[in-house]
Amino acid sequence: MPAILSIGDAFPPVVLHQEEVMQFSQQLFNQSFPDINRLLHVFPHGQVEKRHFVKDLDWYQHNHPFVEKNNAFIESAIDLGSRAISNCLHNHEYLKRQVAYEEIEAIFLITSTGIATPSIEARIMNVLPFSEKTKRIPIWGLGCAGGAAGLSRAFEYCKAYPKAKVLVLAIELCSLTFQPNDLSKSNLIGTSLFGDGVVCVLVSGDEVEAESICSLESIPKILATQSTTMRNSLDVMGWEVKNDGLYVVFSKDIPVIVEKWLKPIVGEFLHEHQLSMERINHFIAHPGGKKVLDAYVKTLQLDSSMIEISFNVLRNYGNISSATVLLVLKGFLQKAISGEWGLCTALGPGFSSELLLVRWD
């Protein structure tokens, strides 16, 4: 049972409140949408209060070529990624001692909002003193499911190499994909929802003495994972790649899909491990948006208190794509007690589901 030992994060300095972004969107899209005032209801209804951005609001009013946006992504990703890693490995809140960079055997880099070759973790290895033999596993394109998928791949690595300590580093700078000339409702919804940030998670194998490193009274262990992809659902969520960058694809049917498609998947996954939702103490859900969280409550028959941490993350950070579920997980680290069960879930392009079963020991 690979263990989650620490989590660190880093956010850009620009913080914008939802009212500011709504006024910006009203000015920008006023001539394009005849029913703009009705559409702007997505801003307050989404219950996002503030978000972090790598640029100030004036920057987003202008067109920027893809190369400029992507260069901004690389620069900020290296800076914020390095900070999140350091915060994770040196986190006195979760660790009894600092974990040296040289102890890390592999880095799983998760992103969908920028492109770089060499990938970002290679560039960070020229900033932080990782071993030259550190394995690099960049994973691109999983969108909002990427954080949970990264944990799953780290789980599998640590099962194969039980002495390993690995990092899952989710870097998402969603604002740099903003398209001021995209007049779709998907773009307007994305503008109301997405933010920027980086989260890093330290995972270790069974033969690492977790108790000698981690100061948590109860340490979360990953017991099992499952990935599921819905056939013929490529148009539900993702990017449309055009000359000037990435254009968001965001189906209005996602909450309905959660209700109809996800429930049997969750039920079968838990049944394989002789569990049911009634036995789950902590629901670690990626907050794709208010409607998605509401759909979780409805279809899985949850008490609303079980998505409180997810809602708090959505309220204070918005949707940071893959990194968001890792922030939600962070909220549970010191809340859970020994013997309790957690279910981690996230949905992303594919259309796909990622599930992880967690127990605190």
Side-chain angles (χ1 to χ4, degrees):
M1 295 187 294
I4 297 167
L5 304 184
S6 181
I7 298 180
D9 52 43
F11 298 94
V14 178
V15 178
L16 295 175
H17 290 81
Q18 194 73 325
E19 183 68 28
E20 298 174 84
V21 184
M22 186 173 71
Q23 291 175 359
F24 164 82
S25 300
Q26 184 176 33
Q27 294 170 4
L28 189 64
F29 297 117
N30 189 46
Q31 301 301 317
S32 306
F33 293 104
D35 54 348
I36 184 64
N37 290 327
R38 181 182 64 84
L39 294 174
L40 288 174
H41 289 164
V42 298
F43 284 83
H45 288 174
Q47 296 193 2
V48 176
E49 294 181 2
K50 59 185 176 70
R51 287 171 280 165
H52 292 257
F53 294 92
V54 295
K55 302 289 184 180
D56 59 36
L57 204 52
D58 290 341
W59 189 88
Y60 299 100
Q61 295 186 37
H62 307 288
N63 289 316
H64 301 277
F66 183 44
V67 63
E68 180 184 346
K69 290 185 285 189
N70 200 63
N71 285 339
F73 170 85
I74 293 172
E75 179 182 359
S76 294
I78 295 169
D79 173 50
L80 294 170
S82 299
R83 286 165 46 195
I85 290 172
S86 296
N87 290 339
C88 178
L89 298 182
H90 304 159
N91 195 327
H92 299 297
E93 188 176 1
Y94 307 128
L95 299 174
K96 293 178 180 177
R97 66 166 178 86
Q98 293 186 359
V99 175
Y101 300 102
E102 295 86 350
E103 295 180 57
I104 301 302
E105 186 170 308
I107 303 172
F108 293 79
L109 185 281
I110 313 296
T111 190
S112 296
T113 49
I115 300 170
T117 302
S119 45
I120 298 299
E121 82 288 348
R123 298 164 191 257
I124 289 175
M125 286 173 65
N126 286 301
V127 176
L128 300 177
F130 285 98
S131 166
E132 294 177 352
K133 294 182 173 59
T134 302
K135 298 179 181 69
R136 297 165 41 216
I137 305 102
I139 302 175
W140 197 93
L142 291 174
C144 293
L151 287 178
S152 296
R153 303 295 81 79
F155 161 80
E156 292 158 358
Y157 186 97
C158 289
K159 290 282 284 184
Y161 302 98
K163 295 181 180 180
K165 303 182 191 77
V166 305
L167 296 179
V168 177
L169 180 64
I171 299 177
E172 301 291 10
L173 307 180
C174 305
S175 72
L176 293 176
T177 68
F178 175 68
Q179 300 288 351
N181 294 327
D182 180 3
L183 305 181
S184 68
K185 290 183 180 179
S186 288
N187 189 39
L188 188 64
I189 292 170
T191 304
S192 75
L193 187 59
F194 290 102
D196 300 343
V198 178
V199 184
C200 182
V201 183
L202 172 63
V203 181
S204 69
D206 278 354
E207 294 183 25
V208 175
E209 293 185 6
E211 291 78 8
S212 68
I213 300 173
C214 184
S215 60
L216 292 170
E217 291 187 11
S218 299
I219 299 174
K221 307 286 183 67
I222 304 173
L223 275 70
T225 72
Q226 179 177 287
S227 303
T228 309
T229 300
M230 178 189 292
R231 295 189 187 278
N232 303 315
S233 60
L234 301 180
D235 58 347
V236 173
M237 183 189 296
W239 295 123
E240 185 178 358
V241 182
K242 299 185 180 181
N243 288 338
D244 48 351
L246 306 173
Y247 284 66
V248 66
V249 176
F250 206 56
S251 171
K252 68 181 188 307
D253 296 327
I254 293 172
V256 177
I257 293 172
V258 172
E259 292 182 19
K260 294 183 176 180
W261 180 69
L262 188 64
K263 183 176 181 178
I265 291 173
V266 170
E268 291 169 9
F269 176 63
L270 293 177
H271 181 71
E272 287 177 9
H273 302 282
Q274 293 77 51
L275 291 169
S276 64
M277 278 305 301
E278 288 74 22
R279 294 279 308 280
I280 299 299
N281 306 100
H282 305 293
F283 188 60
I284 308 160
H286 168 75
K290 180 182 181 300
K291 289 185 177 180
V292 173
L293 289 175
D294 289 343
Y296 278 133
V297 170
K298 179 180 178 181
T299 191
L300 299 178
Q301 299 178 319
L302 304 175
D303 187 278
S304 59
S305 63
M306 293 191 74
I307 58 167
E308 183 178 345
I309 290 177
S310 294
F311 255 127
N312 285 339
V313 168
L314 182 67
R315 195 172 291 121
N316 291 301
Y317 299 96
N319 184 341
I320 320 174
S321 192
S322 68
T324 328
V325 74
L326 305 182
L327 271 185
V328 176
L329 174 63
K330 181 183 177 184
F332 284 97
L333 283 193
Q334 293 188 336
K335 178 181 179 181
I337 60 175
S338 181
E340 291 186 330
W341 295 90
L343 179 66
C344 179
T345 178
L347 301 168
F351 182 71
S352 60
S353 158
E354 292 288 338
L355 298 171
L356 296 97
L357 183 62
V358 180
R359 190 179 71 206
W360 274 260
D361 290 329

